[in-house]
Amino acid sequence: MDFIPVNEPLLNGNEKKYLCECIDTGWISSEGPFVKEFENKMSATVNRKYGIAVSNGTAALEVAAQALGIQKGDEVIMPAFTIISCAMAVTKLGAVPVLVDSSLDTWNMNVDEIEAKITSRTKAIMIVHIYGLPVDAEPILALAEKYNLKIIEDAAEMHGQTYKGKCCGSFGDISTFSFYPNKHITTGEGGMIVTDDEELAERCRMLRNLCFRKDFRYMHDEISDNYRFTNLQAAVGLAQLERLEEFVERKRTMGSYYTEKLRKIEGVTLPVEKTEYAENIYWVYGLLLKEDMQADNREVQKLLAEEGIGSRTFFWCIHEQPVYRNMGLFLDETYPNAEYLARKGFYIPSGLALTTEQMDEVVRKLTKVMELLNRRK
Ligand SMILES: *Cc1c(COP(=O)(O)O)cnc(C)c1O
């Protein structure tokens, strides 16, 4: 069997048809009609009033943070275990990420640790749903209310997921999505900010487009970037969005299939199937090496690659990023669970185009690799 990549998207719906429409009509830039349509449809799927499409999920976080007025000296509470995009959105503005450790079962931030981190400088809390299970958002929303804090919800991995029956992407002041090819909905590269606040939406639209003055184009009162989203991206996004339910269903089926086949495997912990507020959508199918294993995730990744199986290690923790350490940030801080996830977590092929035969092959090869590692104990 050929090498099985960690992700391959499924593009066999109306993607080609809508893309051809872009070519035929000449609408390929961010001014094209599909952009607005995609913004409207995507925001509607999560019950938000406004959608602002941008070039990627990282840009969405940056624009969201800037639109909320986060600035130099502010603190933003977020998980220690997340992608660097979350921290970058804050540090680029001169603000400081204040980190919270993870819980080892859901891999999401430990909500009980948040309140102790709130200071007079805290401006916002970033909720980041990790790998398929949503964060327990209600207590965080209550804290935001109590201390008058803003909420940014990073729902990049949560297309089609709900928390207590409410759509992920609908919590707090502003939420963001990514449409990278490994997300449930892809546009190649792409992202979106969604909000119910008209003024915030207007600010995001300005920030994604160089802050052109409304009454005087080419005159600028503020600096921002070019984070525009093209009609070509929107064409793919519209076709993908038509299949959101089917995709979520498929991911859940794939997750259950892996769990069924891997139930007896030794030395690794499988992902939690559901919590009291949500059923896993397996953005990726992640596994954690058990504590007594004499191996880390990088070695597993290497061994799997030798067997023809693509995999990825989990995110590296924010407080252990060399770039931040060099800036003097987080020097004496330690978050043991986040550190454990970063060293022992990995995920196996989980893309929507994966076939059952490929999953069987992944299971066979992972079993072989784990048998080898278990013999070391
Ligand atoms: C993918 C992802 C992002 C970044 O999205 P890009 O489109 O790759 O910039 C941000 N946050 C989370 C949680 C993600 O999974």
Side-chain angles (χ1 to χ4, degrees), residues 28-44:
I28 56 172
S29 77
S30 59
E31 297 288 321
F34 285 153
V35 177
K36 194 83 228 145
E37 189 182 342
F38 183 53
E39 288 175 336
N40 291 342
K41 288 192 169 152
M42 180 67 206
S43 52

Side-chain angles (χ1 to χ4, degrees), residues 275-312:
T275 61
E276 58 190 86
Y277 41 78
E279 229 185 288
N280 206 329
I281 54 167
Y282 306 97
W283 169 57
V284 291
Y285 193 90
L287 302 116
L288 261 190
L289 290 166
K290 290 192 173 155
E291 219 149 350
D292 58 350
M293 294 302 294
Q294 308 293 318
D296 67 9
N297 50 9
R298 283 154 54 100
E299 186 175 4
V300 174
Q301 184 178 28
K302 188 168 153 278
L303 292 171
L304 283 172
E306 284 165 14
E307 297 290 341
I309 307 294
S311 68
R312 286 274 183 287

Side-chain angles (χ1 to χ4, degrees), residues 72-84:
K72 200 170 158 65
D74 289 341
E75 293 176 355
V76 177
I77 297 174
M78 67 177 69
F81 180 72
T82 185
I83 190 164
I84 195 151

Side-chain angles (χ1 to χ4, degrees), residues 19 72 88 90 123 135-136 235 264 269 299 334-335 346:
L19 277 171
K72 200 170 158 65
M88 254 172 49
V90 167
K123 180 86 184 231
V135 176
D136 188 8
K264 292 206 187 79
T269 310
E299 186 175 4
T334 157
Y335 302 94
F346 63 98

Side-chain angles (χ1 to χ4, degrees), residues 55-59 61 82-83 85-86 128-130 154 156-157 177-180 182-183 189-191 283 315:
S55 47
N56 54 63
T58 303
L61 284 165
T82 185
I83 190 164
S85 311
C86 301
V128 189
H129 309 289
I130 301 284
D154 181 352
E157 302 168 5
F177 284 96
S178 162
F179 306 117
Y180 190 70
N182 62 4
K183 316 295 180 182
E189 298 285 348
W283 169 57
F315 297 132

